[in-house]
Amino acid sequence: HVQLVESGGGSVQTGGSLKLSCAVSGYLYAQYCMGWFRQSPGNQREGIAAIVSDSRTRYADSVKGRFAISKDNANDTLYLQMNSLKPEDTAMYYCAARQGSGCALTIGPDGFPYWGQGTQVTVS
C-alpha cells in the first residue's frame, strides 16, 4: 500500500516561491507516475505537473516555466518548486501516484489511486 504525505504549503506574497514535498512510503513498481494536483473552492481538481519513473516531466500550461517537479529516489520524496507565484495559484495542493507508464495530465484525478491529504498554498 502506498502512502503519500505532503508538506511545505503556506502563505506567500505574489511573486514569491514555495517548495512542496511529498514523502512516499510503500512500494511502487518499476514504472510509475507521480503528479501534483491542485483544487481551489468551486473548481475541479486539476493536474499541474507529473513525472514518470524515468524522470520525464509534464506540466500544465498554467504553471509551465514557473513550477518544477522533481523526485529524490534515495529519499522517496517528490517535490514541487513553485516560483513567481500568483494569487490564482491559491489552492489545496495534492500529490498523487499511479502504477504504470501512463503519465499524461489528461489522465485526470480518477486515474491516480494514491493520494496525500493535501497542503494549502495561499498567495496574496
Side-chain angles (χ1 to χ4, degrees):
H1 183 66
V2 177
Q3 291 186 312
L4 307 173
V5 179
E6 302 96 335
S7 61
S11 296
V12 65
Q13 292 187 333
T14 299
S17 298
L18 279 174
K19 187 172 185 177
L20 305 183
S21 299
C22 174
V24 182
S25 61
Y27 182 73
L28 286 170
Y29 296 113
Q31 287 188 318
Y32 61 85
C33 169
M34 296 198 70
W36 286 97
F37 290 74
R38 67 185 181 187
Q39 187 170 21
S40 54
N43 293 315
Q44 292 184 332
R45 191 170 296 189
E46 62 167 339
I48 57 170
I51 187 165
V52 193
S53 45
D54 64 2
S55 297
R56 287 175 292 154
T57 57
R58 288 107 169 87
Y59 295 97
D61 289 342
S62 57
V63 305
K64 198 173 295 182
R66 300 188 299 122
F67 291 11
I69 188 171
S70 62
K71 59 186 177 71
D72 182 342
N73 293 330
N75 293 305
D76 294 325
T77 304
L78 179 73
Y79 299 102
L80 184 68
Q81 176 67 48
M82 304 186 295
N83 300 324
S84 302
L85 283 161
K86 306 174 182 180
E88 50 264 44
D89 295 318
T90 295
M92 185 71 79
Y93 283 71
Y94 301 88
C95 66
R98 66 187 302 272
Q99 303 290 165
S101 59
C103 205
L105 291 174
T106 51
I107 289 175
D110 290 345
F112 288 77
Y114 306 112
W115 290 87
Q117 81 289 351
T119 186
Q120 178 68 37
V121 172
T122 302
V123 185
S124 59

